[in-house]
Amino acid sequence: MERERMAQTLPSLTAQQLSSQNSPCSTALYVQACVVCLRGHHVSRPHNTGCGLIVAAYQQAYHCPRDKAYLYVSGQHTMHLIQLNRECLLHLFSFLDKDSRRSLSLTCHQLREVFLDPCLWNLLHFSSPCQLRKDNFVLGPSLRYLTISWYSSMVLQVCNIEDWLKSSFQKNICSKHESLVSTFLAHVCYMCPNLLSLTMSGCGHITDRDVISVLQCCRKLRYLHLENCVRITDCSLEGVVANGDNLEEVKVDFCRNITQAGLQHCKEMKPALQLTAERSADLIPDSKPEERVPIRRTLQKVLQNS
């Protein structure tokens, strides 16, 4: 009932309007998707119009051959999905998450080309390091916003423990992912020079060298947020002073090896920079174990000398 009501209030787009590169209607396609269905697959969430269209297209692609995947608008046969111009397809892909984009790209060569278009990937968000291993995203010069956040009990119980205090079991766990973020950031340095914002939270294995490399290669970076990254020290703040010419805001929250002296020096060298460090300078920093002679050996020496 709701679909029929929308079909009466929203005019249909013709195949010529949808496929035209210069048509003013092409950019409004996602609005028309409220009344779209693909041969029996109705859009179930009209409020999420662009996503609904692509999900319907994705479902249709697995139930009938590609040459029969017609697009229906207001109940009328309009066109093939792949007849949409690149602008429309990029806009529709933008409503999907990384996995859905990759799944849809596997249906035909045309959609694969859209998936690989760097213009589609101006924002990336990863909720765990293991997601960096997947092939459901594309790094390129269009990337502007990058977030790697890992909110897991493993971060506190394993990764954030000082190396010399870790058991062999904990070291084995860390060995499986400790270089993932660093390797990924190396690719970002090489392929994403236009990065504007970088947020990393719970990345217990990144080092000052990783942060400084990003600052040196991504000279347009404006926003840097590091949270609960235990290996980050004042050296990263020195890198901000030396290479962060365009930085406007830096946050180093809950980074226990950041000191008050390092924060003060950074503020003095870059007074215009908005620098915040919630609890960082108040936490207990890492310390190397003191070399102590075992008590048994000490007793043996005492007995030998007596």
Side-chain angles (χ1 to χ4, degrees):
M1 181 67 68
E2 185 176 4
R3 187 178 64 85
E4 294 178 357
R5 180 178 59 82
M6 289 184 177
Q8 295 175 358
T9 58
L10 294 175
S12 300
L13 295 179
T14 64
Q16 182 178 3
Q17 288 174 324
L18 288 170
S19 59
S20 172
Q21 292 288 347
N22 300 319
S23 170
C25 298
S26 62
T27 56
L29 173 64
Y30 73 99
V31 177
Q32 300 298 319
C34 291
V35 291
V36 167
C37 64
L38 292 175
R39 196 180 294 278
H41 294 276
H42 300 281
V43 177
S44 58
R45 297 182 180 179
H47 63 280
N48 198 355
T49 54
C51 185
L53 173 61
I54 288 295
V55 170
Y58 168 73
Q59 293 173 340
Q60 178 65 20
Y62 282 95
H63 286 82
C64 73
R66 178 171 56 85
D67 57 355
K68 293 183 180 180
Y70 295 108
L71 182 66
Y72 281 76
V73 179
S74 297
Q76 299 180 2
H77 172 209
T78 306
M79 62 187 301
H80 288 275
L81 177 65
I82 59 175
Q83 287 180 283
L84 295 174
N85 60 40
R86 178 60 68 90
E87 178 188 3
C88 288
L89 290 175
L90 284 172
H91 185 71
L92 293 174
F93 264 74
S94 69
F95 286 89
L96 298 179
D97 58 29
K98 298 188 292 295
D99 288 331
S100 298
R101 290 178 183 181
R102 181 183 179 277
S103 298
L104 187 59
S105 72
L106 298 178
T107 58
C108 67
H109 293 295
Q110 290 91 330
L111 296 180
R112 182 65 179 174
E113 292 177 358
V114 177
F115 173 81
L116 296 176
D117 193 329
C119 295
L120 179 64
W121 304 95
N122 64 341
L123 183 150
L124 283 174
H125 181 274
F126 301 94
S127 57
S128 70
C130 64
Q131 293 183 357
L132 302 177
R133 288 195 178 105
K134 296 185 177 181
D135 59 348
N136 59 357
F137 62 90
V138 175
L139 290 178
S142 295
L143 183 63
R144 298 293 189 274
Y145 306 93
L146 173 62
T147 300
I148 306 174
S149 301
W150 195 16
Y151 300 105
S152 170
S153 59
M154 184 181 297
V155 176
L156 296 176
Q157 298 174 2
V158 180
C159 299
N160 282 6
I161 298 177
E162 298 174 57
D163 288 337
W164 64 276
L165 288 175
K166 290 178 182 177
S167 65
S168 58
F169 176 72
Q170 291 170 327
K171 291 180 180 180
N172 182 51
I173 293 177
C174 290
S175 65
K176 298 177 181 179
H177 63 261
E178 61 183 351
S179 62
L180 274 178
V181 179
S182 297
T183 302
F184 179 79
L185 289 178
H187 291 299
V188 171
C189 292
Y190 178 71
M191 304 180 67
C192 309
N194 299 315
L195 188 67
L196 299 178
S197 174
L198 174 62
T199 299
M200 292 186 289
S201 178
C203 300
H205 296 289
I206 64 168
T207 63
D208 295 318
R209 181 181 300 178
D210 300 323
V211 175
I212 293 174
S213 295
V214 172
L215 292 171
Q216 291 175 340
C217 298
C218 304
R219 307 294 295 187
K220 297 181 181 180
L221 193 68
R222 298 178 183 176
Y223 179 86
L224 176 63
H225 183 193
L226 304 174
E227 179 184 4
N228 195 19
C229 299
V230 296
R231 295 192 180 187
I232 298 302
T233 68
D234 290 345
C235 292
S236 291
L237 296 179
E238 294 175 3
V240 167
V241 172
N243 303 292
D245 298 332
N246 292 315
L247 278 173
E248 300 174 1
E249 183 177 356
V250 174
K251 294 183 179 181
V252 282
D253 300 335
F254 299 94
C255 299
R256 65 184 182 224
N257 289 305
I258 294 291
T259 67
Q260 190 63 45
L263 293 171
Q264 186 62 32
H265 175 71
C266 185
K267 290 179 180 179
E268 292 175 355
M269 298 301 296
K270 282 191 167 294
L273 178 68
Q274 184 178 350
L275 176 63
T276 58
E278 183 178 354
R279 298 292 302 276
S280 289
D282 299 331
L283 299 175
I284 300 176
D286 294 347
S287 58
K288 294 182 179 181
E290 298 179 359
E291 294 184 0
R292 298 178 179 177
V293 180
I295 297 178
R296 184 176 179 179
R297 291 185 179 179
T298 304
L299 292 175
Q300 289 177 347
K301 289 184 178 179
V302 170
L303 292 175
Q304 289 176 356
N305 295 329
S306 60

